């Protein structure tokens, strides 16, 4: 089943980021959202995907490193939503320091 409502997506992604250590498939469920980044138009959903990916990276770095790298590269290259772009740039610079 797919989640279509933006508020529901935000909630689902938040759960994956917050409880990622308790959900064995959390990185792989989030990867689906990362892979569908270009299809997601809602800035709230995009922001939550970024935040959840970073949170999950700190909890499960081995599984998240490549996914987070792809996500940050894609999100910083695209400027359709300035807030999302700036958040991605902030996370990139934070992790690069």
């Amino acid at each position: 089943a797919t989640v279509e409502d933006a508020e529901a997506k935000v909630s689902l992604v938040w759960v994956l980021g917050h409880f990622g250590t308790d959900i064995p498939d959390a990185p792989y469920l989030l990867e689906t959202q990362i892979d569908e980044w270009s299809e997601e138009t809602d800035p709230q959903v995009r922001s939550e995907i970024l935040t959840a990916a970073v949170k999950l990276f700190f909890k499960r770095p081995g599984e998240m490193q490549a996914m987070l790298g792809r996500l940050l590269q894609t999100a910083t290259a695209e400027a359709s939503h300035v807030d999302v772009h700036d958040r991605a740039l902030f996370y990139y610079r934070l992790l690069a320091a």
Side-chain angles (χ1 to χ4, degrees), residues 34 50 53-54 57 64-73 95:
I34 292 169
L50 282 166
V54 170
F57 170 74
M64 287 301 299
Q65 185 173 6
M67 283 183 246
L68 182 59
R70 277 195 336 262
L71 176 60
L72 290 176
Q73 183 177 18
L95 293 170

Side-chain angles (χ1 to χ4, degrees), residues 29-30 38 51 55 57 59 78 86:
L29 295 169
L30 191 58
S38 62
T51 302
K55 286 169 68 175
F57 170 74
K59 296 174 183 179
E78 183 182 312
D86 289 351

Side-chain angles (χ1 to χ4, degrees), residues 35-49:
D35 290 343
E36 295 173 356
W37 178 266
S38 62
E39 298 162 24
E40 182 56 62
T41 58
D42 191 286
Q44 286 183 306
V45 175
R46 284 184 164 196
S47 290
E48 193 58 46
I49 292 169

